[in-house]
Amino acid sequence: MSLQKPALDPMTLEPRTGSGYPEPYRSRVVPREKRALGDPLGLKTIGINHTVLPPGKESSMRHWHTHEEEFIYVLSGEVVLVTDAGEQLLKAGSCAGFALGTSDGHQLVNRSSQPATYLEISNRDPKDRAFYSDVDMLFHGVGSKPMFTRRDGTEF
Amino acid sequence: MSLQKPALDPMTLEPRTGSGYPEPYRSRVVPREKRALGDPLGLKTIGINHTVLPPGKESSMRHWHTHEEEFIYVLSGEVVLVTDAGEQLLKAGSCAGFALGTSDGHQLVNRSSQPATYLEISNRDPKDRAFYSDVDMLFHGVGSKPMFTRRDGTEF
């Protein structure tokens, strides 16, 4: 029997496979599958994605947030975590957390031959901005239309 | 090689196996193993526990929060989720979320013969209180000394 709220089987949700990134960054992350779990359960303060990252793909460009903490927990497969601490291989059962107030950008890269699955969790703050460590891009979360620009504010 | 921050292997942490509950409720939940993952990673806005619930034990008394949302994701084994929607069996890969502003208490019960493991995630709000659906208990999160009392405010 299928689960009823407040329970949920993530695999019953349609995934989002696109990305708001401009090229050439978009092709580096798609078609990862993201299933938002908090929204259908009515959660407002926490965002939760169940994400499947195909071989060869990146979770995001390396970045850090101004107002949103992130936590990831690897459910299956393995990913390489890239931060100032270097590269670390995270297998199922490992986790990582990215506190506020640090400019140490992070990303996950699937260098294996199998899909990797992880949960990504964050608080929600409309004031959030994201800075990208290695590419000329900024994320502006302020306002009704979140957008990506170059670091100087010009549009792609 | 062991993981370095911002990565973490949860199993390297010492678990908390006690409970702040008074008896007879305490014996119904201990010795579940809780490992706080957000704290050692410096997260302030989100609380994350990796919890191992032994056979026959309950995650908590059935309850709901005034200011904290909760999300749980089953990693291994199975638990029975008890809410107003009835009892539902949650297996590995299933999740549940408990939004604010609902008085539908929830708890997880391990009725299987194997340990069950899950992640529990919540926002953090010092104004939080918890109401218990089936037992004469209240949780007061306000102030420097969180405490449990009877519903009329008297101490156990």
Side-chain angles (χ1 to χ4, degrees):
Chain A
M1 202 183 77
S2 64
L3 296 175
Q4 307 298 315
K5 288 184 193 178
L8 177 68
D9 175 354
M11 290 301 111
T12 61
L13 302 173
E14 280 299 310
R16 179 166 70 87
T17 57
S19 164
Y21 281 176
E23 292 291 4
Y25 314 125
R26 185 174 180 281
S27 296
R28 290 166 59 178
V29 300
V30 298
R32 59 181 177 191
E33 295 183 2
K34 283 183 186 267
R35 291 173 170 85
L37 306 184
D39 292 340
L41 293 169
L43 304 190
K44 306 293 188 190
T45 66
I46 308 170
I48 302 146
N49 281 322
H50 177 285
T51 303
V52 182
L53 190 65
K57 295 296 177 178
E58 302 167 63
S59 62
S60 63
M61 299 300 98
R62 202 181 152 193
H63 72 287
W64 58 277
H65 291 271
T66 58
H67 289 76
E68 290 185 355
E69 294 180 326
E70 282 186 90
F71 174 84
I72 64 106
Y73 186 97
V74 181
L75 297 171
S76 67
E78 58 183 51
V79 291
V80 175
L81 169 66
V82 183
T83 67
D84 286 347
E87 298 194 348
Q88 299 188 76
L89 186 64
L90 303 188
K91 299 185 178 184
S94 299
C95 65
F98 312 107
L100 292 177
T102 166
S103 57
D104 182 3
H106 64 271
Q107 71 169 164
L108 306 175
V109 185
N110 185 350
R111 295 201 186 127
S112 79
S113 58
Q114 303 295 325
T117 307
Y118 53 89
L119 294 177
E120 47 189 4
I121 293 147
S122 69
N123 62 308
R124 286 172 160 173
D125 193 322
K127 297 186 294 299
D128 189 52
R129 297 182 76 189
F131 290 85
Y132 292 83
S133 310
D134 305 325
V135 303
D136 182 11
M137 187 163 68
L138 273 182
F139 172 73
H140 307 256
V142 184
S144 59
K145 191 183 176 189
M147 62 185 295
F148 295 93
T149 66
R150 292 191 181 84
R151 285 173 178 159
D152 65 6
T154 56
E155 293 190 20
F156 285 97
Chain B
M1 202 183 78
S2 64
L3 296 175
Q4 306 299 315
K5 288 185 192 178
L8 178 68
D9 175 355
M11 289 303 110
T12 62
L13 302 173
E14 280 299 308
R16 180 168 69 88
T17 57
S19 164
Y21 282 176
E23 292 292 4
Y25 313 125
R26 186 174 180 281
S27 296
R28 290 166 60 178
V29 300
V30 296
R32 63 185 171 186
E33 295 182 3
K34 284 184 186 265
R35 291 173 171 86
L37 307 184
D39 292 338
L41 293 169
L43 305 189
K44 306 292 188 191
T45 67
I46 309 169
I48 302 147
N49 280 323
H50 177 285
T51 303
V52 182
L53 191 65
K57 295 296 177 176
E58 302 167 61
S59 62
S60 64
M61 299 299 99
R62 200 181 155 193
H63 72 288
W64 57 278
H65 291 272
T66 58
H67 289 77
E68 291 186 354
E69 295 180 326
E70 282 186 272
F71 174 84
I72 64 105
Y73 186 97
V74 181
L75 297 171
S76 68
E78 58 184 50
V79 290
V80 175
L81 169 66
V82 183
T83 67
D84 286 348
E87 298 194 348
Q88 300 187 75
L89 186 65
L90 303 189
K91 300 186 178 183
S94 299
C95 65
F98 312 108
L100 292 176
T102 166
S103 57
D104 181 3
H106 65 271
Q107 71 169 164
L108 306 175
V109 186
N110 184 351
R111 296 202 186 125
S112 78
S113 58
Q114 302 296 324
T117 308
Y118 53 88
L119 293 178
E120 48 189 2
I121 293 148
S122 70
N123 63 308
R124 287 174 161 173
D125 193 323
K127 297 185 295 298
D128 189 53
R129 296 183 74 189
F131 290 85
Y132 292 82
S133 311
D134 306 325
V135 302
D136 183 12
M137 186 164 67
L138 273 182
F139 171 73
H140 307 256
V142 184
S144 59
K145 191 182 175 189
M147 62 184 294
F148 295 92
T149 67
R150 293 191 180 83
R151 285 172 178 159
D152 65 7
T154 56
E155 294 189 20
F156 285 97

